[in-house]
Structures are given as structure tokens and as C-alpha cells.
Amino acid sequence: GDGGNAAEGFFRLVPPSPRGMIIPPASKSLKGQEVQVWVFVNELGRVVADSTQLRPPTSDRDFNDRLVREASEWVFAPARKGGKAVGSWFPYTISM
């Protein structure tokens, strides 16, 4: 374990778990680039509208737009804290 007690473990945030994620194909011009996609997942496991952030955005605006659209459709098992489903940010790194 991590040295915490039972109460600390119970109230620790368990992050969302992906259940369905589609990543659009990247163009060859993006080879070697990396982007981190951040989405806020609500307590139902759905991505909150307009929460998607790309850090940093790629140099391909069309790919960025497709990625944001696809990320809005991702499905998760929601984060849990104290045994209850809660909203939480989820980062996902894409290397091309």
C-alpha cells in the first residue's frame, strides 16, 4: 500500500476509467507530435460539453477539431470517491 489508513483509502479519488474512446487518424504531418486531451467526466461517466482541452493543440486545426468532437463522445466509468460517483478531470496523451 501507500502507507495511508483505511479512511484515507476510502476517500481517495479513483479516476474515471475509459469504456469507449475513438481517436481520429492523424496525418503524416503530425508524426512525432504529442497532445494531451483533457475532458471533464461527470458522475454519469459522460464528457461535459465544452470541457475538452488540447494541451498543446497540434499544428493541424482540422485534426484538433475532429479530436475535440470525438472526445465529446467518449464514455467512462465515472470517478469514485467515498464509494460515490463524482465528476473529475481525465487526461489522455496521444503520441503520433
Side-chain angles (χ1 to χ4, degrees):
D2 60 7
N5 61 38
E8 287 172 339
F10 184 71
F11 291 105
R12 182 168 288 128
L13 180 71
V14 177
S17 175
R19 294 289 183 241
M21 296 171 65
I22 297 174
I23 309 298
S27 68
K28 291 181 182 179
S29 67
L30 297 177
K31 188 174 175 105
Q33 291 190 40
E34 187 173 275
V35 62
Q36 199 169 50
V37 182
W38 284 80
V39 293
F40 192 82
V41 180
N42 69 17
E43 64 279 354
L44 300 175
R46 301 291 182 198
V47 173
V48 173
D50 297 328
S51 72
T52 304
Q53 300 173 18
L54 304 181
R55 299 180 189 169
T58 72
S59 57
D60 183 334
R61 184 172 291 183
D62 289 336
F63 177 77
N64 294 341
D65 291 344
R66 286 194 325 263
L67 185 52
V68 168
R69 276 195 312 274
E70 291 292 345
S72 72
E73 301 291 323
W74 291 352
V75 178
F76 295 83
R80 301 195 75 74
K81 188 170 187 177
K84 293 184 178 184
V86 295
S88 178
W89 284 98
F90 179 84
Y92 185 76
T93 302
I94 300 171
S95 300
M96 288 156 280

